């Protein structure tokens, strides 16, 4: 029969889970809207993503406070301790994804009309892929589903391939006319920011794995090579 | 007279401080060496910075474990609680600075001979400025010196100005010959990574301020504009 401490701890845990759910929802909206803002060159949507950042920061602080209180008051151990510590890490990664979506949107506001629609659409499509990974990994957290987390962790090849293809197109666009360099620089950073959101989804997968199993994934994650590190000398 | 709990807590705190000191030392070495590797185009130094990352990651985990144990076993509150929570944040920022130094060094390994020495030297000089901020802010943590932390927090104008000047030179180099675009892309990311190290030094200043005073700096930090967001349409 559960005692008082167990009941209080379960209530704390439920609060933390619900706050992570709220934060995950807000950050997913930021990522989705950043893609739309980029594709449509929509300043209003871009501004709404930037504005949402304050809410995400507030949620991060609330989760951090709740996690620290829970560790101090309930002194959890084993799987219970792993769950609250993992929540701390997941919230931190989510905050950084939101930050990256904000950075993309700042560039949308700075982007001139020279950016070709085909390129911005490709980058927006990449952000949809990343959003899919984020949804799956947050699902794996909610369901404590280690198999799903492992699957997200091990399968970012699709993202790598799409990233590398777009990077190649961007270089061609840059080289074709020096007047394209301003827009290309913005798009280069947008592309990089979206790729990094994918890395944070991978970090969250690691946190879920640690939470459920207490173990760490092997260090050598199957990762495609980064085309931006393989630029051939011209 | 100090009781058992106080003595045990002080010992925990001393361990955490000493681990942050070790981690700060390792990360400062990474930043210094990344600058040298870039300036001299030195693959051996670049590889040593990349190799040091595993040590930094291990230190981060040790600090995290110690912080969680301390919160659970000693149930600190007020300034004591703020100190251990701040250590957690500082360690996390340090790990990201180390990661950025690693990213710079991966690009050093990929950089071809086309990158002009004047540009790589300017970027390396910026990394020295960032290193100076990192040293000062880690000193402010060791000395619990809020005035010094506030000074680091409020004065990154020098970094912004240097960053913007180099960014302008990079654009000119890119535009002057399409064959420069490969090298320039690497240098663009190196520059961005070093600028981001400076942002983490600012985050650490915020953590020190919170640790010492319990307050947060006002949100509107005096920050120079980012030239990379003001690229004029060509």
């Amino acid at each position: 029969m559960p005692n008082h401490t167990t009941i209080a701890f379960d209530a704390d845990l439920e609060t933390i889970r619900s706050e992570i759910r709220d934060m995950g929802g807000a950050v997913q909206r930021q990522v989705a809207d950043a893609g739309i803002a980029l594709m449509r060159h929509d300043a209003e949507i871009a501004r709404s993503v930037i504005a949402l950042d304050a809410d995400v920061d507030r949620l991060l602080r609330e989760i951090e406070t709740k996690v620290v209180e829970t560790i101090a008051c309930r002194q959890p151990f084993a799987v219970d301790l792993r769950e609250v510590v993992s929540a701390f890490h997941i919230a931190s990664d989510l905050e950084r994804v939101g930050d990256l979506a904000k950075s993309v949107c700042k560039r949308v506001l700075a982007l001139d009309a020279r950016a070709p629609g085909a390129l911005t659409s490709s980058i927006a499509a990449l952000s949809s892929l990343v959003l899919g990974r984020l949804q799956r990994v947050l699902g794996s957290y909610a369901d404590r589903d280690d198999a799903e987390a492992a699957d997200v962790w091990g399968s970012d090849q699709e993202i790598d391939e799409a990233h590398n293809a777009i990077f190649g197109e961007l270089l061609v666009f840059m080289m074709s006319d020096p007047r394209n360099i301003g827009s290309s620089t913005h798009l280069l950073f947008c592309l990089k920011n979206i790729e990094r959101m994918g890395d944070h989804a991978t970090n969250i997968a690691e946190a879920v794995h640690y939470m459920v199993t207490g173990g760490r994934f092997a260090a050598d994650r199957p990762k495609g090579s980064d085309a931006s590190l393989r630029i051939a000398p011209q």
Side-chain angles (χ1 to χ4, degrees), chain A:
Chain A
M1 197 173 150
N3 60 25
H4 268 96
T5 310
T6 314
I7 292 170
F9 178 71
D10 285 348
D12 285 345
L13 221 51
E14 193 35 60
T15 303
I16 292 170
R17 282 182 193 145
S18 139
E19 285 175 338
I20 292 270
R21 212 159 33 230
D22 290 348
M23 192 178 178
V27 169
Q28 285 178 74
R29 193 156 78 245
Q30 282 185 299
V31 175
D33 283 353
I36 294 169
L38 182 63
M39 196 167 56
R40 300 193 196 151
H41 201 179
D42 188 319
E44 197 176 329
I45 295 179
R47 283 194 199 95
S48 75
V49 172
I50 294 168
L52 198 53
D53 202 53
D55 288 349
V56 169
D57 286 352
R58 183 183 46 76
L59 282 164
L60 173 65
R61 283 193 193 167
E62 284 175 13
I63 292 168
E64 286 186 352
T65 304
K66 189 72 197 169
V67 163
V68 169
E69 272 175 19
T70 304
I71 295 174
C73 299
R74 316 288 173 217
Q75 301 173 278
F77 59 94
V79 62
D80 291 337
L81 178 59
R82 292 203 306 272
E83 170 137 9
V84 287
V85 171
S86 295
F88 199 105
H89 285 291
I90 291 169
S92 162
D93 275 291
L94 283 175
E95 188 270 337
R96 286 154 74 184
V97 172
D99 240 21
L100 291 164
K102 184 172 82 166
S103 294
V104 167
C105 287
K106 282 184 177 174
R107 297 208 173 264
V108 168
L109 295 179
L111 208 55
D112 64 52
R114 248 192 124 72
L119 267 174
T120 53
S121 295
S122 299
I123 299 174
L126 183 69
S127 79
S128 297
L129 281 180
V130 169
L131 181 62
R133 277 171 69 79
L134 208 54
Q135 281 166 336
R136 284 180 57 205
V137 82
L138 288 170
S140 80
Y141 167 75
D143 301 338
R144 310 179 58 79
D145 182 345
D146 181 48
E148 177 78 347
D151 201 49
V152 172
W153 182 81
S155 63
D156 59 357
Q157 209 175 350
E158 196 184 14
I159 304 235
D160 288 338
E161 284 170 8
H163 166 270
N164 291 349
I166 299 167
F167 185 78
E169 288 169 41
L170 249 174
L171 281 190
V172 170
F173 175 63
M174 269 179 148
M175 288 179 191
S176 64
D177 186 339
R179 288 174 299 177
N180 294 341
I181 285 178
S183 315
S184 313
T185 304
H186 288 311
L187 295 179
L188 204 58
F189 283 120
C190 288
L191 183 62
K192 192 70 189 171
N193 288 339
I194 291 166
E195 189 203 18
R196 284 175 52 217
M197 293 175 192
D199 292 338
H200 290 297
T202 305
N203 292 351
I204 296 174
E206 286 178 347
V208 172
H209 178 66
Y210 175 72
M211 172 178 90
V212 177
T213 68
R216 311 243 179 222
F217 288 128
D220 49 346
R221 187 165 64 94
K223 183 156 172 64
S225 60
D226 181 347
S228 77
L229 284 171
R230 288 186 285 106
I231 302 167
Q234 305 300 321

